């Protein structure tokens, strides 16, 4: 499987794939946080790293992508923040880069993760992703709508996340 992880962090998506015994042929990552990159490099030195998602272009990737995975920054979407700017915010606005990469790369599968948010933002995200994969929208069996999972089911954190 060829994987592109944007907003990769410390490459926990790669850890999850390994734990699920999913063989990864190529793992490409986009991340800018130096400490996260350092940890990722120590654990997975063969990852092909691209830096900022803003600079990422589909022609930089040498293989067709099977799985695109990412979770754009949540600070402007989180219900924990009172004066949030939503998808127009500087950080959470990076969601539009996920959409751009999704359109350019057109992977077989994708997984987008983010915090619980206002319905209006959730609807915009679902609409944007459905436009890339229209065959999965409009009431089909596999419509593109998020599901809510509390991280407490898998970790020590009690946080609701949309997938």
């Amino acid at each position: 499987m060829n994987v592109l992880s944007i907003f990769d962090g410390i490459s926990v998506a790669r850890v999850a794939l390994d734990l699920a015994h999913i063989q990864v042929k190529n793992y490409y990552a986009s991340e800018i946080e130096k400490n996260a990159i350092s940890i990722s490099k120590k654990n997975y030195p063969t990852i092909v790293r691209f830096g900022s998602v803003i600079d990422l272009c589909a022609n930089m990737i040498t293989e067709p992508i099977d799985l695109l995975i990412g979770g754009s920054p949540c600070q402007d979407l989180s219900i924990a923040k009172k004066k949030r700017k939503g998808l127009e915010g500087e950080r959470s606005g990076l969601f539009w880069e996920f959409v751009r990469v999704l359109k350019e790369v057109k992977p077989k599968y994708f997984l987008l993760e983010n915090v619980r948010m206002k319905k209006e933002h959730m609807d915009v995200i679902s609409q944007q992703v459905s436009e890339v994969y229209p065959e999965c929208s409009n009431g089909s069996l596999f419509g593109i709508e998020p599901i809510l999972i509390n991280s407490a089911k898998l970790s020590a954190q009690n946080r609701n996340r949309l997938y």
Side-chain angles (χ1 to χ4, degrees):
M1 174 177 281
N2 294 313
V3 179
L4 172 57
S5 175
I6 57 178
F7 316 108
D8 187 56
I10 61 171
S11 302
V12 294
R14 179 61 198 261
V15 173
L17 292 166
D18 288 349
L19 290 172
H21 304 287
I22 296 173
Q23 188 166 1
V24 175
K25 180 179 175 190
N26 295 295
Y27 189 97
Y28 304 96
S30 174
E31 177 57 57
I32 61 168
E33 208 284 317
K34 289 179 174 48
N35 292 327
I37 294 168
S38 176
I39 292 167
S40 174
K41 280 183 176 179
K42 182 176 180 185
N43 293 325
Y44 295 101
T46 62
I47 288 176
V48 178
R49 299 168 206 288
F50 295 119
S52 175
V53 67
I54 294 169
D55 301 325
L56 178 64
C57 297
N59 65 2
M60 298 166 75
I61 301 166
T62 58
E63 302 283 337
I65 295 299
D66 299 301
L67 174 63
L68 171 63
I69 191 163
S72 56
C74 66
Q75 292 92 334
D76 299 308
L77 293 169
S78 175
I79 59 175
K81 187 175 180 181
K82 293 194 191 291
K83 293 185 179 184
R84 54 191 171 270
K85 296 179 181 178
L87 293 171
E88 302 309 316
E90 182 180 338
R91 295 182 215 161
S92 295
L94 287 170
F95 160 75
W96 299 107
E97 292 298 321
F98 182 90
V99 173
R100 178 187 62 80
V101 172
L102 187 67
K103 287 177 181 177
E104 288 180 10
V105 173
K106 200 79 161 143
K108 290 181 188 175
Y109 310 100
F110 70 90
L111 178 63
L112 175 62
E113 175 273 337
N114 216 304
V115 296
R116 192 167 153 197
M117 63 188 77
K118 283 183 165 182
K119 184 170 178 1
E120 65 188 75
H121 301 305
M122 192 171 63
D123 288 347
V124 169
I125 290 170
S126 293
Q127 175 193 1
Q128 289 297 315
V129 174
S130 293
E131 287 177 9
V132 179
Y133 291 95
E135 65 275 14
C136 296
S137 58
N138 299 325
S140 72
L141 180 61
F142 300 105
I144 301 176
E145 290 295 326
I147 60 170
L148 184 68
I149 300 175
N150 190 327
S151 298
K153 294 182 183 236
L154 305 167
S155 72
Q157 294 189 341
N158 186 23
R159 292 186 181 163
N160 286 312
R161 295 287 187 258
L162 293 169
Y163 294 88

